[in-house]
Amino acid sequence: MVVSNSDLASEAGVEIMKRGGNAVDAAVATGFALEVTYPAAGNIGGGGFMIIRMADGRAAALDYREIAPLAATRDMYVENGKLTDRSLVGALAVGVPGSVAGMAEALRKYGTMSLHDVMQPAIRLARDGFVVDSALNRSLTYSATRIKQFAGGKVFYPNGAPPAVGSVFRQPDLARTLTLIADQGPAAFYTGPIADQIVAEMHHDGGIITKEDLARYRPIWRDALVGTYRGYTLYTMPPSSSGGITMLETLNQLETWPKLPDFNSAEYKHLLAETFQRAFIDRNTKLGDPAFVNVPTAELTSKAYARKLASTIDPAHATPVPAFATGPEPIHTTHYSVVDAHGNAVATTTTLNGGYGSKTFVDGAGFFLNNEMDDFAAQPGKPNQFGLVQGEADAVQPGKRPLSAMSPTVVLDPNGKLFMVVGAAGGPTIITGVAQVILNVIDQHMSLADAMYAPRMHDQAWPDAITFERGGFTTSAADSLQQMGHHLDPTGSLTDVNALMRDARGGWVGVYEPRATGEAAGY
Ligand code: DON
């Protein structure tokens, strides 16, 4: 089964499994297909993280996060003491992409098929085209002004408008790029003709990524971060993502309550907010690329530390945190969960960061480049596009990976059997959203469908508020939370999760995000 934000990409993964591929082969096929059918999140111009848990017990975490170019400097986005928008839009916002190297490396180590073969569905979708749906049309309409400032304008708005719903959309430049990668491997992208096209785009748009930056990019195998929650085992992402540490730190605190209050109660929402808040304060001040920053992972994820944190929670009052301003922006990332018949599992989250990344488009090569540089603390102490206030640990440095919130996670049940594959898009709400789906299933005994549909909330310490989905709190819970001193900030929808879970009756249940698009494809 494959659950992703694109029906065609989920089906690409299933096609590969039907041809005998394993979950890793299918995940890579899905990843390349998403580049074609879900361009807002790409993502050969971006980066990501993959948690692999094989049926034989091997587990691994692959970090193919973008890195800062060698010419990057700490204050490159600050002018006269003010933060500019150059970490968000245009070529200076682009980190050296990691996805092509990452997906090829995952396949080399854990796959069974060739890169050439698993890329065929993506190449076919780019070359022969696919039928445009309302979601793609709407998304392109929304981002038109910015995309049209760059070379992608002529590809995505052929007559000034995005391809009509129901029309067939072909991407011949992208098909050529994918074919080069399929035939020559990642070298085509990092040292070959595609590298030349990326560097030419940099020269044209004022970016700083060089051939040397591309040639020296390497994905990194890391030990998956392993934690436990009420007897379940979680394999999740260590730094350069903050996702795993922040989620485990939250769950460890919650585990100190023998039984969590009911889902709709103010007590429960209060506990979530307080535990998230404590975990995010550590996240935003202590975490960064482990090659540059000494991250106290063992301490932050220990049960003893969680008990200490949890003991500071007042059951009747919100704990105030120093306040900072915030400013949201359209965003884009995507997660896919894959399991095969043997029980091999892959959780992958991949991103361009903003919707269509920096909007910078590699002319002639057919793809967008990320704006991952905004995940650095472009000005330490000042909020980024997600309102995240981060410190020196995440300051810009050449060759450094910007701190991520992506949290691909594989969960085993108390008997050690594969139970759930889950992850999300949505910046910092990834961490809180994934945690809530897990909590809904384990503590609130919901089905996966209910766990996914249930209203979500979010607290990231700064700003000092609980964001919640409008209508998601009962009136009495909202009143009580305000009495406790919480600031409540209603919003549209929170987090884009794609998850699959073992069905008690046998087989797997997949649920794609009901607030977004996608398909759970299986056979
Ligand atoms: O790595 C991160 O945490 C962010 N670049 C993720 C951005 C995101 O999820 C936006 N998506 N909808």
Side-chain angles (χ1 to χ4, degrees):
M1 172 168 279
V2 184
V3 190
S4 83
N5 285 121
S6 158
D7 51 352
L8 295 165
S10 294
E11 286 159 23
V14 167
E15 176 183 328
I16 290 300
M17 283 195 276
K18 280 187 175 161
R19 283 208 253 138
N22 70 7
V24 178
D25 298 318
V28 174
T30 300
F32 279 107
L34 282 164
E35 166 62 40
V36 182
T37 60
Y38 199 64
N43 121 310
I44 62 174
F49 298 102
M50 189 181 288
I51 294 287
I52 298 173
R53 208 260 175 189
M54 303 298 283
D56 62 12
R58 283 176 298 159
L62 184 60
D63 176 336
Y64 51 99
R65 184 70 161 165
E66 299 89 331
I67 58 173
L70 290 168
T73 58
R74 184 183 182 286
D75 295 322
M76 61 190 281
Y77 301 114
V78 183
E79 209 171 77
N80 302 324
K82 283 234 163 61
L83 197 52
T84 64
D85 73 351
R86 290 197 294 265
S87 66
L88 284 169
V89 188
L92 266 188
V94 184
V96 182
S99 287
V100 172
M103 289 194 281
E105 177 60 15
L107 193 71
R108 185 192 67 76
K109 192 140 181 220
Y110 289 96
T112 64
M113 290 170 65
S114 68
L115 189 61
H116 176 270
D117 288 353
V118 300
M119 288 185 68
Q120 291 313 306
I123 293 171
R124 197 178 63 224
L125 286 162
R127 185 193 56 217
D128 303 343
F130 61 92
V131 176
V132 172
D133 64 8
S134 61
L136 177 59
N137 177 278
R138 195 179 318 118
S139 159
L140 286 168
T141 303
Y142 185 84
S143 296
T145 314
R146 280 189 159 168
I147 293 176
K148 283 180 179 176
Q149 291 166 13
F150 300 93
K154 57 181 191 283
V155 173
F156 288 96
Y157 309 88
N159 305 306
V165 176
S167 66
V168 173
F169 179 50
R170 295 183 181 84
Q171 300 173 76
D173 287 346
L174 182 56
R176 207 169 322 114
T177 294
L178 294 173
T179 305
L180 277 170
I181 298 170
D183 292 346
Q184 299 175 14
F189 189 92
Y190 290 96
T191 53
I194 306 166
D196 291 334
Q197 287 172 301
I198 295 172
V199 171
E201 198 58 51
M202 289 290 133
H203 287 155
H204 184 261
D205 289 332
I208 53 174
I209 293 178
T210 60
K211 294 259 329 209
E212 188 189 354
D213 279 311
L214 289 162
R216 66 200 286 282
Y217 184 84
R218 297 283 178 279
I220 300 178
W221 286 106
R222 304 189 186 276
D223 290 336
L225 190 59
V226 187
T228 60
Y229 181 67
R230 300 191 200 279
Y232 290 77
T233 304
L234 280 79
Y235 292 87
T236 185
M237 201 63 214
S240 60
S241 181
S242 65
I245 291 181
T246 316
M247 190 163 56
L248 291 179
E249 201 175 318
T250 305
L251 295 177
N252 284 340
Q253 291 177 72
L254 290 168
E255 200 183 42
T256 63
W257 275 264
K259 184 174 177 344
L260 293 183
D262 284 349
F263 181 82
N264 275 326
S265 65
E267 289 80 358
Y268 180 56
K269 311 296 181 192
H270 175 64
L271 276 190
L272 281 190
E274 293 288 308
T275 51
F276 283 144
Q277 179 206 89
R278 281 159 179 73
F280 267 89
I281 289 174
D282 283 338
R283 177 202 183 277
N284 294 9
T285 54
K286 296 180 184 155
L287 305 194
D289 181 345
F292 290 77
V293 181
N294 198 355
V295 180
T297 306
E299 184 200 341
L300 296 179
T301 56
S302 79
K303 302 280 184 193
Y305 179 66
R307 277 193 296 276
K308 208 167 81 192
L309 281 186
S311 71
T312 66
I313 296 175
D314 176 340
H317 295 100
T319 312
V321 285
F324 288 91
T326 176
E329 266 265 324
I331 46 179
H332 248 319
T333 299
T334 192
H335 172 85
Y336 41 106
S337 293
V338 183
V339 65
D340 66 21
H342 309 289
N344 299 311
V346 180
T348 305
T349 315
T350 177
T351 190
L352 294 176
N353 195 22
Y356 305 95
S358 62
K359 319 300 189 269
T360 307
F361 191 80
V362 184
D363 199 11
F367 62 95
F368 290 100
L369 291 165
N370 68 82
N371 58 352
E372 225 66 63
M373 295 295 281
D374 190 65
D375 276 347
F376 281 118
Q379 194 175 18
K382 289 280 172 1
N384 74 354
Q385 69 164 329
F386 302 112
L388 275 174
V389 182
Q390 305 172 119
E392 286 298 335
D394 192 34
V396 184
Q397 285 175 269
K400 188 177 180 184
R401 286 163 150 82
L403 185 63
S404 172
M406 292 188 276
S407 315
T409 300
V410 171
V411 184
L412 309 187
D413 71 13
N415 299 318
K417 266 172 74 176
L418 180 64
F419 178 65
M420 189 188 230
V421 185
V422 57
T429 74
I430 291 172
I431 299 169
T432 52
V434 170
Q436 284 169 88
V437 170
I438 294 172
L439 289 164
N440 288 349
V441 166
I442 296 180
D443 292 276
Q444 306 291 343
H445 309 290
M446 294 186 195
S447 68
L448 183 62
D450 287 344
M452 292 281 291
Y453 276 82
R456 296 182 186 139
M457 54 169 277
H458 175 69
D459 190 317
Q460 60 182 41
W462 295 287
D464 188 0
I466 301 179
T467 312
F468 69 103
E469 292 181 322
R470 207 166 275 115
F473 285 174
T474 62
T475 309
S476 61
D479 287 346
S480 301
L481 288 164
Q482 278 168 328
Q483 287 292 321
M484 292 177 191
H486 287 289
H487 305 279
L488 298 188
D489 179 17
T491 188
S493 68
L494 285 171
T495 327
D496 178 349
V497 185
N498 286 313
L500 58 84
M501 192 170 115
R502 183 182 293 281
D503 188 312
R505 294 158 299 183
W508 301 94
V509 186
V511 182
Y512 70 89
E513 178 54 59
R515 296 155 183 81
T517 56
E519 182 176 308
Y523 71 104

